[in-house]
Amino acid sequence: MRSETPPAERGLVAQAMFAEISVVDRENTEILRSALPPQGWFTDKTVATDAWLIAQHSFDRELQKVVLSRLEPAVRTGAVKGQEYAMLYDRLEMFQGRPQRYASQARCTGGAWRFADIESETEVDAKRAEIGWPETLNQTKTRLTIGAPC
């Protein structure tokens, strides 16, 4: 049987961990800001994915908006994965107090993993299909262990 870490201890561990991660995220954000092409998005797929990861984890909402505006046309041409666009879109919406569209963001709420508010759960799979994200909402629920204790 697995022992459960008491919630107070989990909170302390999370605080310490995120304090360290935040420093790295801020440094990476500044690097991305200075490396961002004047227009469009990165053409090298590895660099593009790494840059997206930095933007996804940044606390700079203005930079995220710029990146999102550059990802959108790149999704249409297939240069960027639809899932990357969707995850950044949802994260921005969530942090601005609006419901997400693609159901990519979950939080620990009331002791269980739950999706942040969703515009329309019945339309998620269709919205994902529009941008080429093959994972269904049910697959995401399983992958993110929605409903499981956190």
Side-chain angles (χ1 to χ4, degrees):
M1 182 193 308
R2 183 173 73 98
S3 69
E4 291 295 319
T5 304
E9 288 181 30
R10 281 196 311 261
L12 290 172
V13 169
Q15 257 184 329
M17 182 178 71
F18 286 114
E20 294 294 318
I21 291 170
S22 294
V23 171
V24 173
D25 286 345
R26 280 191 285 283
E27 290 171 357
N28 286 341
T29 294
E30 290 310 311
I31 292 167
L32 175 58
R33 184 184 308 290
S34 67
L36 201 60
Q39 298 176 35
W41 192 238
F42 299 95
T43 55
D44 179 277
K45 287 190 184 266
T46 301
V47 172
T49 296
D50 290 347
W52 166 78
L53 278 168
I54 292 170
Q56 179 73 4
H57 294 102
S58 176
F59 293 99
D60 184 335
R61 302 295 170 239
E62 292 307 311
L63 177 65
Q64 287 179 324
K65 289 175 188 176
V66 168
V67 169
L68 188 68
S69 72
R70 293 179 183 202
L71 291 179
E72 188 171 16
V75 168
R76 288 190 218 116
T77 66
V80 169
K81 294 175 187 171
Q83 181 175 355
E84 292 174 353
Y85 169 80
M87 291 176 75
L88 184 56
Y89 178 92
D90 280 354
R91 181 157 294 194
L92 261 170
E93 292 299 290
M94 180 182 72
F95 282 121
Q96 293 177 39
R98 296 189 295 254
Q100 59 181 324
R101 178 169 294 156
Y102 302 99
S104 66
Q105 305 297 303
R107 290 181 162 172
C108 181
T109 306
W113 288 108
R114 302 190 194 293
F115 283 118
D117 291 341
I118 302 170
E119 285 178 0
S120 172
E121 196 167 321
T122 61
E123 294 180 20
V124 167
D125 288 340
K127 294 289 183 187
R128 287 177 173 196
E130 287 174 10
I131 60 166
W133 184 0
E135 187 176 71
T136 66
L137 180 59
N138 282 334
Q139 290 169 320
T140 302
K141 284 178 181 178
T142 299
R143 180 175 53 81
L144 297 180
T145 63
I146 298 299
C150 50

